Amino acid sequence: MTNSSFRAVYETAGTYDKLLLQHFYGGTEDIDLVADWLTEHHAAPRAALNVVEFGCGTGRMTDAIAPYARNLVLADYSETMVAAVAQKFPDAQTICADTSDAVTSLLAADRAATFDLVTAFWSLSYPIGEFFEELSSAGVQPRGDQAVAAEHARKFVLDLVGLTAPGGHLLAMLFDAESPEQQLVTQAWETVAPFPGSGRAYTRHVLIDALHEAENRGDGTLTHTRLGGVAWAPTRESAREWFFGVHFKHHPQLLDNLELERDVEEFIDRYEMPEGGVALPSGVHFIDFHAVAHPRASLPDGSAS
């Protein structure tokens, strides 16, 4: 299986949007979590912010942030996704590149400390993971020196912080690797290749550890919230395609795994609703790094005068 075939679900126009399930947390859809955060921090939209979104896809989450943007940069590795989002947001600057390369190119273009909002929704685990492993004709392979990989991943996260303007925010959403849904996905991929370090949650640990480092050196404050919820599949078939088309990406080794097939069907059975549809238990980590002078900025107004 090649990298291009692994990414096919993102490269065929309309496929990802068709397979994508709605995600709800306490009755609130994921895009509305972002909209609520924007309202809390910036009130009504007034097109005042410099914003970059990495892993933008076809612009589903961009719908929430675009009204706040004076300048909008949208980056994705998929030409198909970039073409779709450019049509939807014609005034935005688009970058067709992997997230790590897009970050590097923006820093090289003197965009350090210029973005009021740096965002990545659901996608940040992938560029972090690519420092540790790669796809080849032999399957998923760990990179040779995992210590070097960890250092490169750490620098990547700190570069994201480096793009954030004083007073700005780095905002990310990551799947919860410990949720029942993701535990099943992890179990499946572990039959292909083991995950580095602490299992499939390692990308989140890399991100959080690097942001703690940035906080400890005084670059800002980190807020990290975990929310439990569901991925809502209106039919059994849409639930099945969510696993095999999106999570497993039609990997031959997983498609031919009869035991995995049985496990997925039993999982769907467990969470199928009597009135129809399947509520797959999920979780999201909502991560906000505020680029302020820490710890001074945490004092009440006037107390440090």
Side-chain angles (χ1 to χ4, degrees), residues 205-275:
H205 296 315
V206 168
L207 175 63
I208 295 298
D209 288 349
L211 292 178
H212 273 304
E213 177 185 337
E215 181 181 82
N216 291 341
R217 72 186 190 188
D219 292 343
T221 56
L222 171 63
T223 301
H224 172 201
T225 304
R226 189 268 181 193
L227 300 171
V230 297
W232 171 248
T235 65
R236 286 186 64 92
E237 183 56 31
S238 61
R240 191 180 186 284
E241 274 303 298
W242 176 243
F243 280 106
F244 284 95
V246 177
H247 285 318
F248 304 151
K249 298 177 173 59
H250 293 132
H251 191 291
Q253 188 172 332
L254 300 180
L255 286 180
D256 295 336
N257 187 326
L258 295 179
E259 183 178 351
L260 176 61
E261 175 86 23
R262 186 194 66 235
D263 289 344
V264 169
E265 292 298 332
E266 290 178 353
F267 192 85
I268 292 172
D269 286 341
R270 193 178 315 144
Y271 296 107
E272 189 169 18
M273 299 288 100
E275 62 274 21

Side-chain angles (χ1 to χ4, degrees), residues 100-147:
S100 58
D101 292 334
V103 170
T104 299
S105 68
L106 287 171
L107 291 173
D110 296 324
R111 298 304 305 272
T114 64
F115 289 100
D116 304 297
L117 188 57
V118 177
T119 65
F121 302 114
W122 296 114
S123 63
L124 206 49
S125 287
Y126 297 107
I128 293 175
E130 286 172 0
F131 288 105
F132 295 88
E133 57 192 14
E134 61 184 337
L135 274 172
S136 71
S137 58
V140 182
Q141 299 292 322
R143 297 192 185 274
D145 192 325
Q146 292 289 293

Side-chain angles (χ1 to χ4, degrees), residues 22-287:
Q22 289 179 287
H23 286 68
F24 296 98
Y25 303 93
T28 301
E29 194 169 4
D30 58 345
I31 189 171
D32 292 324
L33 290 177
V34 175
D36 291 346
W37 183 94
L38 287 163
T39 299
E40 178 185 351
H41 288 81
H42 298 289
R46 53 189 181 89
L49 306 178
N50 291 321
V51 180
V52 59
E53 181 184 1
F54 296 106
C56 63
T58 57
R60 176 175 169 270
M61 304 298 281
T62 317
D63 282 330
I65 62 177
Y68 291 84
R70 180 174 76 251
N71 296 297
L72 180 61
V73 179
L74 301 173
D76 200 282
Y77 75 86
S78 166
E79 292 181 5
T80 301
M81 298 289 192
V82 169
V85 83
Q87 186 173 13
K88 193 173 183 180
F89 301 97
D91 295 329
Q93 175 191 348
T94 56
I95 301 173
C96 188
D98 284 342
T99 296
S100 58
D101 292 334
V103 170
T104 299
S105 68
L106 287 171
L107 291 173
D110 296 324
R111 298 304 305 272
T114 64
F115 289 100
D116 304 297
L117 188 57
V118 177
T119 65
F121 302 114
W122 296 114
S123 63
L124 206 49
S125 287
Y126 297 107
I128 293 175
E130 286 172 0
F131 288 105
F132 295 88
E133 57 192 14
E134 61 184 337
L135 274 172
S136 71
S137 58
V140 182
Q141 299 292 322
R143 297 192 185 274
D145 192 325
Q146 292 289 293
V148 170
E151 177 56 28
H152 288 167
R154 167 188 165 277
K155 182 180 182 302
F156 163 70
V157 176
L158 295 179
D159 283 346
L160 285 170
V161 173
L163 289 172
T164 312
H169 293 261
L170 165 60
L171 194 65
M173 296 171 71
L174 274 72
F175 62 79
D176 178 21
E178 285 86 12
S179 71
E181 175 204 22
Q182 292 296 332
Q183 287 182 21
L184 177 56
V185 175
T186 299
Q187 172 189 325
W189 280 110
E190 286 280 353
T191 67
V192 177
F195 289 99
S198 55
R200 196 155 174 260
Y202 77 96
T203 54
R204 185 180 78 244
H205 296 315
V206 168
L207 175 63
I208 295 298
D209 288 349
L211 292 178
H212 273 304
E213 177 185 337
E215 181 181 82
N216 291 341
R217 72 186 190 188
D219 292 343
T221 56
L222 171 63
T223 301
H224 172 201
T225 304
R226 189 268 181 193
L227 300 171
V230 297
W232 171 248
T235 65
R236 286 186 64 92
E237 183 56 31
S238 61
R240 191 180 186 284
E241 274 303 298
W242 176 243
F243 280 106
F244 284 95
V246 177
H247 285 318
F248 304 151
K249 298 177 173 59
H250 293 132
H251 191 291
Q253 188 172 332
L254 300 180
L255 286 180
D256 295 336
N257 187 326
L258 295 179
E259 183 178 351
L260 176 61
E261 175 86 23
R262 186 194 66 235
D263 289 344
V264 169
E265 292 298 332
E266 290 178 353
F267 192 85
I268 292 172
D269 286 341
R270 193 178 315 144
Y271 296 107
E272 189 169 18
M273 299 288 100
E275 62 274 21
V278 185
L280 303 169
S282 181
V284 62
H285 290 266
F286 199 91
I287 296 162

